[in-house]
Amino acid sequence: MTGTHTIRWVEVGTLASGLPLRIAVHEINGERAGPTVGICASIHGDEVAPVEAIRRLLAELSPADIAGRLVVAPVVNPLAFQTHTRHTPQDMQNLNRVFPGDADGWLTEQLGRAFVDDFLQDLDVLLDLHAGGALATVDYAYIENDEALSATFNTPILYRGPGYEGTFSAEAVKRDIRTVVTEFGGGLIADVAYIERTVEGLRNALRHVGLLDGDVVDFGPKEIVDELAVIRPHHGGLLVPEVGIDMIGTAVAGGTLLGTVVNAQTLEPLEEIRAPFDRSLLVLLRGVATRIEIGDYAYIIGNGADA
Ligand SMILES: [Zn+2]
């Protein structure tokens, strides 16, 4: 068998504009037998760094390097990617809360159904790549159903707690596909380093599951947390941070000031955001002053008490 790299399209339907709604899937068939591994990114359209990590990985890979089959969808929600938004602009839905989707539902539900039915076919392993979006930087991986797979990524924190309903990874876990969700980068400030770290982690994960040859790198001990607090402000405006992205992955004492929301016009302080746990692990934060709305993701903090 000769290895090949082809692109096929998951067709969803025709948009009002007349353009097709469809998702590109790269298929790289190796020259030797091995596992079928899926990699996907930009289920949330503002998560761009993982797309570049995928581009770099595929540029380096030759089918001759591969045992098995790699299926890769760099942009699962092209409409949200187009507008650089987390949700699909046409129906305001969050694709990663509507899986497995609905063939007769909203646009986003139809997209989700078509992608599940196609992409999860025959997968042994799923690597689902996320990031912090346009404004926030994040650094952790989920433990879904294979802790050793999660540990192949070089991140200081693994999260073992409950996930959200309707995620793509939950569909994969239901099908007994070995699954990891990574959350690396976003917010632009350190994205070059995060992209390099994502590529490094992807190659390590692919060695771990036997798709690539070579020894698995041990990136050292990680903190495993069972509880993450998503901190959403009660006022919008400008979020002025007190902790920088160099602090991600480290712990601060409970009550430490993380940032202040100020009225963007009057400049008066509206809300102080403080570390919620006695030992608070910084998982997601914003490295510079950014516009924020009521209820947006401001911080994600891990409970480091039993980590
Ligand atoms: Zn995401």
Side-chain angles (χ1 to χ4, degrees):
M1 183 170 89
T2 305
T4 56
H5 180 167
T6 57
I7 297 174
R8 60 185 176 77
W9 297 89
V10 178
E11 303 287 350
V12 182
T14 305
L15 292 161
S17 64
L19 296 173
L21 177 56
R22 57 186 196 168
I23 305 163
V25 176
H26 295 248
E27 289 259 5
I28 304 160
N29 289 292
E31 296 180 354
R32 293 163 286 141
T36 297
V37 180
I39 304 174
C40 65
S42 215
I43 285 177
H44 293 131
D46 59 345
E47 297 171 2
V48 178
V51 182
E52 169 61 1
I54 285 175
R55 192 194 65 79
R56 292 188 188 190
L57 176 78
L58 295 191
E60 295 169 356
L61 274 188
S62 151
D65 300 333
I66 290 174
R69 186 164 72 106
L70 195 56
V71 291
V72 184
V75 177
V76 180
N77 191 340
L79 296 173
F81 185 84
Q82 182 178 1
T83 47
H84 201 229
T85 51
R86 181 171 172 84
H87 295 195
T88 315
Q90 282 76 11
D91 60 8
M92 309 294 182
Q93 301 282 309
N94 178 346
L95 175 58
N96 214 30
R97 299 293 181 274
V98 306
F99 286 111
D102 181 348
D104 302 311
W106 291 100
L107 181 159
T108 302
E109 294 173 312
Q110 294 192 31
L111 179 78
R113 185 75 247 178
F115 189 62
V116 161
D117 287 347
D118 181 287
F119 197 78
L120 292 182
Q121 293 286 333
D122 309 322
L123 283 195
D124 300 305
V125 180
L126 173 68
L127 314 176
D128 180 10
L129 310 181
H130 291 253
L135 302 176
T137 306
V138 67
D139 196 338
Y140 73 110
Y142 285 74
I143 299 172
E144 298 279 354
N145 56 2
D146 186 339
E147 182 171 336
L149 177 64
S150 297
T152 59
F153 288 87
N154 184 10
T155 175
I157 294 167
L158 299 180
Y159 171 57
R160 188 169 48 190
Y164 295 98
E165 295 283 316
T167 62
F168 191 55
S169 58
E171 287 304 307
V173 169
K174 279 183 206 165
R175 290 162 171 76
D176 288 326
I177 297 166
R178 298 166 67 186
T179 298
V180 60
V181 175
T182 64
E183 297 273 0
F184 293 146
L188 293 180
I189 299 168
D191 271 356
V192 171
Y194 276 107
I195 288 162
E196 290 170 354
R197 189 130 63 82
T198 304
V199 175
E200 183 184 37
L202 286 169
R203 296 188 74 92
N204 209 33
L206 295 175
R207 288 192 291 267
H208 175 71
V209 299
L211 186 128
L212 293 178
D213 288 337
D215 293 332
V216 176
V217 178
D218 181 355
F219 291 115
K222 304 174 193 312
E223 305 235 31
I224 296 178
V225 301
D226 298 311
E227 182 180 10
L228 290 179
V230 176
I231 300 182
R232 302 173 183 274
H234 305 92
H235 299 282
L238 191 68
L239 173 55
V240 181
E242 296 293 336
V243 288
I245 58 167
D246 56 315
M247 295 281 285
I248 287 184
T250 67
V252 298
T256 300
L257 182 62
L258 303 177
T260 304
V261 179
V262 304
N263 184 307
Q265 298 206 66
T266 68
L267 309 179
E268 63 185 320
L270 299 173
E271 183 172 357
E272 288 184 342
I273 299 175
R274 293 183 178 275
F277 303 116
D278 288 346
R279 183 167 178 271
S280 288
L281 288 162
L282 304 178
V283 174
L284 174 144
L285 52 78
R286 297 171 179 224
V288 295
T290 50
R291 166 261 187 214
I292 195 162
E293 187 51 279
I294 297 171
D296 280 351
Y297 279 70
Y299 296 87
I300 296 178
I301 306 298
N303 187 347
D306 46 14

